[in-house]
Amino acid sequence: HAPSPTPAPPPGLSGGGARARAPLDVRRLAGLSVLLAEDNAINQLVAKKMLAGLGMSVVVAGNGAEAVKAVEEAAARSQQQQQQQQQQQGEQQQQQQQQQQQQQQQQQQGGFSVVLMDLLMPVMSGLEATAAIRAAGHSVPIVAMTANAGDRDRAECAAAGMDGFLPKPVLKDQLAGAILAVLPREGGAGPGAAAGGGE
Amino acid sequence: MADLQQQMAALLQQCVAEGLLDEQFHQLLQLQDESNPDFVSEVAELYFDDAVPKIQRVGQLLSDPSPDFSELDAVVHQFKGSSASLGAGGMAKLCIRMRELCQQRDVPGCQALVLQMQEQFTRLKQQLGAYLSMEAQRKRLAAGG
């Protein structure tokens, strides 16, 4: 019985490449919320600064277990807000329905627009945390952050349920590109196609 | 002011030429703005404070007759990440090499390398410290008119 070959990573995990791409529309990132799962204080500081520069609001988790908890709590808050808004009545019902659809999507995603997940963390690794988040039914886009950028590592990330891949050290343009690549397309369709990393 | 800026640029070039700093440090400089004018010095100070106990711990682990290579690898991995984030490329490369030697259980090799790490850190702190002092002076001059 021949061993199964290592599965090729999906396109979304191909990471940063040298292909020419359209300019990044980083305006899409302004106002979005991101969960940064990273145990290294210096990496946290640098990533937070980059994300703030992109206009994103950042919540930090120091390990995989905190990340899972943060996603679940954000999803619960999002569901509560959705229920409160459903109770409101008024003339702008159509707009409310649209908001509810967006909130449903946000609820499924766990309240955060994206999760940046370091792989090697104490208590619970990034792969374990991702598997736990997926097992709980949350579809929030998750981008792996790691210095190990080999094909095998990318395949492991894909198997755990990650959507993107970002090599370390993180560069600001690559960060923006990796997040944009996993966000739902404008209009609410599934995650954007193309490689996970920016230029 | 112009002379000071030239000196700063020259010092940075020297740090890059020596392999102390890499492109990532330039990324940090570009991240610094009015909302966080001390961002780079904050990151650098955090790195310096973090590096000392890590290098010491590496030395301690290697002085043990039976080094715990698992812990050693974990410490060096963390230090590599911090170094790479700061832009301390030379130190990051030493960490990568240290991890390779850990996998080979090469204690003499690791011990020789930790001496290099100590020397690299001393030089980095000296040069980067000088740069940050000049940066502080530049800000004072800019604020004064």
Side-chain angles (χ1 to χ4, degrees):
Chain A
H1 173 68
S4 302
T6 302
L13 278 184
S14 59
R19 299 189 301 275
R21 294 195 181 88
L24 300 176
D25 187 8
V26 297
R27 294 170 300 176
R28 288 185 60 203
L29 301 178
L32 298 185
S33 63
V34 54
L35 175 64
L36 173 66
E38 169 63 69
D39 62 318
N40 184 299
I42 293 164
N43 294 351
Q44 284 179 12
L45 194 58
V46 174
K48 276 166 59 179
K49 182 64 175 166
M50 287 182 178
L51 291 165
L54 293 170
M56 304 185 79
S57 63
V58 186
V59 172
V60 177
N63 59 59
E66 287 182 15
V68 174
K69 185 179 175 186
V71 168
E72 289 177 346
E73 287 177 350
R77 279 196 302 273
S78 182
Q79 185 179 21
Q80 197 174 21
Q81 286 170 1
Q82 181 190 357
Q83 287 170 348
Q84 286 172 352
Q85 290 207 345
Q86 282 174 346
Q87 289 172 4
Q88 292 174 2
Q89 295 179 8
E91 293 177 0
Q92 295 177 341
Q93 206 168 19
Q94 190 176 1
Q95 288 181 1
Q96 284 184 347
Q97 285 174 352
Q98 288 175 348
Q99 285 178 355
Q100 285 163 13
Q101 284 173 358
Q102 289 172 359
Q103 285 160 4
Q104 278 176 353
Q105 189 176 37
Q106 228 182 5
Q107 179 195 343
Q108 289 167 352
Q109 292 177 348
F112 293 107
S113 300
V114 65
V115 176
L116 300 179
M117 186 77 79
D118 185 25
L119 294 192
L120 287 179
M121 290 186 286
V123 183
M124 183 185 284
S125 72
L127 289 175
E128 292 168 337
T130 298
I133 288 169
R134 294 296 183 237
H138 302 295
S139 61
V140 57
I142 299 176
V143 176
M145 296 190 302
T146 180
N148 302 324
D151 287 341
R152 188 173 178 179
D153 302 294
R154 294 168 190 266
E156 278 185 338
C157 291
M162 289 175 163
D163 305 284
F165 197 93
L166 185 60
K168 282 182 169 180
V170 175
L171 302 177
K172 190 174 177 181
D173 285 348
Q174 288 185 348
L175 176 63
I179 295 173
L180 285 168
V182 300
L183 288 179
R185 288 191 182 90
E186 287 175 303
E199 291 293 347
Chain B
M1 174 78 102
D3 283 347
L4 184 59
Q5 288 174 326
Q6 279 183 349
Q7 288 174 32
M8 290 172 67
L11 181 54
L12 267 188
Q13 281 182 349
Q14 185 181 348
C15 288
V16 171
E18 286 186 37
L20 293 172
L21 295 174
D22 60 22
E23 171 59 29
Q24 178 71 6
F25 187 75
H26 285 102
Q27 288 263 324
L28 298 191
L29 291 175
Q30 289 171 5
L31 287 174
Q32 186 162 284
D33 57 22
E34 290 175 355
S35 68
N36 196 343
D38 300 319
F39 173 68
V40 175
S41 66
E42 283 177 20
V43 175
E45 290 300 324
L46 191 60
Y47 176 79
F48 294 150
D49 291 342
D50 178 66
V52 171
K54 281 198 165 52
I55 296 175
Q56 286 178 344
R57 185 60 185 147
V58 170
Q60 286 169 0
L61 288 167
L62 288 171
S63 66
D64 193 285
S66 298
D68 183 344
F69 286 103
S70 178
E71 182 182 346
L72 182 58
D73 185 74
V75 172
V76 175
H77 172 77
Q78 277 281 320
F79 191 37
K80 185 198 75 172
S82 304
S83 301
S85 285
L86 173 69
M91 189 65 82
K93 287 177 184 170
L94 289 175
C95 290
I96 291 171
R97 181 63 186 142
M98 176 71 83
R99 294 189 75 196
E100 292 170 353
L101 294 176
C102 280
Q103 288 190 349
Q104 296 165 18
R105 301 293 197 264
D106 182 353
V107 174
C110 288
Q111 288 171 335
L113 206 57
V114 77
L115 292 177
Q116 290 185 42
M117 291 169 78
Q118 288 167 347
E119 289 169 3
Q120 174 96 180
F121 177 70
T122 300
R123 181 67 176 158
L124 175 65
K125 189 170 182 185
Q126 178 186 40
Q127 295 292 77
L128 193 49
Y131 176 86
L132 294 173
S133 292
M134 283 194 272
E135 169 69 2
Q137 188 181 359
R138 184 196 66 77
K139 285 178 188 170
R140 286 194 298 271
L141 288 173

